[in-house]
Amino acid sequence: SSAAPAVAARVAYLLDVTTGKPLFAKQATKRVPVASLTKIMTAYVVLREAGLDDVVRINAGDVRHAARNDATSASLRAGERLTVRDLLYGVMLPSGADASHALARVYGPGEAKFVAKMNAAARSLGLTGTRYTNTDGLPKPSGGYSTAQDQAKLAQIALSDPVLLGIASTRRHTVAASKLHRAHTWTNTNKLLGKTPGALGVKTGYTRAAGYCLSFAADRDGHRFIGVLLGDAKSERRFQTAGRLLDWAGEQVSGTGEDQDLGGDGGTLSGDA
């Protein structure tokens, strides 16, 4: 089989979930900051603590948190009331630190208790190289870390939840204006969706300390592949590398990669969670 593509990211891991076999590893157990990949665990904990139809009121602190830290936001305003389901789209698609702050405030209750729940979940899921210090992966408070291997395992668990799978693989989510909130349109920061065959998400991230990060997944040829790239110096390159790794992984499982009809296997998307 052909050699794996070059990977510029400092840390990388690629797993064939269907067979349980790692296909590629580069410093995969090194503990590094993971930026907004942190929000995968935030969403996972929220789904265990909240009802999807619960309504959360956004306050000024949630908005200020995103603005003050120069973080990505879901453009929420104080006083808006949105369902947990919609706020999870706001967390996962535009990577809204305002949305994650609001959810942690309500379902901790408070950031400190919510972070404790994240760390408890990490322990129970066997993510031994992972420690969270906040809900969004921003530099403060510092000290949070994970590994590419742990993030792949977390992505596997997250995507086995039909709600999280549905959110992570959505390219654009629109919330129509109502008496409770303004209209919102959130576009997924993951550029693999709609471009890479079978792509399912999962999450992008960036801080100066973490570099450009990507947790990605795709269903190909009856296999689910999950990969993690951490610490790339270039934003676009992480998507190109992920696409190449997925193509290469598909070749490994199909033998030659020839005579494969990628267009016709839409049925595996929902069938193999």
Side-chain angles (χ1 to χ4, degrees), residues 27 92 121 192 264:
Q27 301 204 84
M92 293 294 288
L192 296 179

Side-chain angles (χ1 to χ4, degrees), residues 73-84:
S73 87
S75 305
L76 302 175
R77 284 192 194 159
E80 288 195 272
R81 285 171 289 171
L82 292 106
T83 63
V84 164

Side-chain angles (χ1 to χ4, degrees), residues 184-207:
H184 293 279
T185 299
W186 296 314
T187 303
N188 203 315
T189 53
N190 181 354
K191 295 182 181 180
L192 296 179
L193 293 172
K195 288 193 179 132
T196 301
L200 304 172
V202 181
K203 188 76 194 71
T204 63
Y206 172 77
T207 62

Side-chain angles (χ1 to χ4, degrees), residues 42-43 45-46 49-50 54-66 68 76-84 87-88 91 96-118 134-136:
T42 301
V45 171
V46 167
E49 300 284 328
D54 289 4
V55 173
V56 169
R57 188 178 185 281
I58 305 304
N59 72 19
D62 304 326
V63 177
R64 207 163 44 233
H65 173 74
R68 202 175 42 218
L76 302 175
R77 284 192 194 159
E80 288 195 272
R81 285 171 289 171
L82 292 106
T83 63
V84 164
L87 284 172
L88 285 170
V91 167
D98 45 2
S100 57
H101 192 272
L103 288 165
R105 179 172 55 73
V106 173
Y107 294 104
E111 177 98 358
K113 282 187 179 153
F114 193 92
V115 171
K117 288 175 179 176
M118 293 168 72
N134 58 37
T135 57
D136 45 35

Side-chain angles (χ1 to χ4, degrees), residues 31 122-123 125-131 145 147 150 153:
R31 293 176 172 189
R123 284 193 297 276
L125 297 174
L127 309 181
T128 53
T130 299
R131 176 173 174 260
Y145 55 79
T147 71
D150 278 6
K153 191 189 279 187

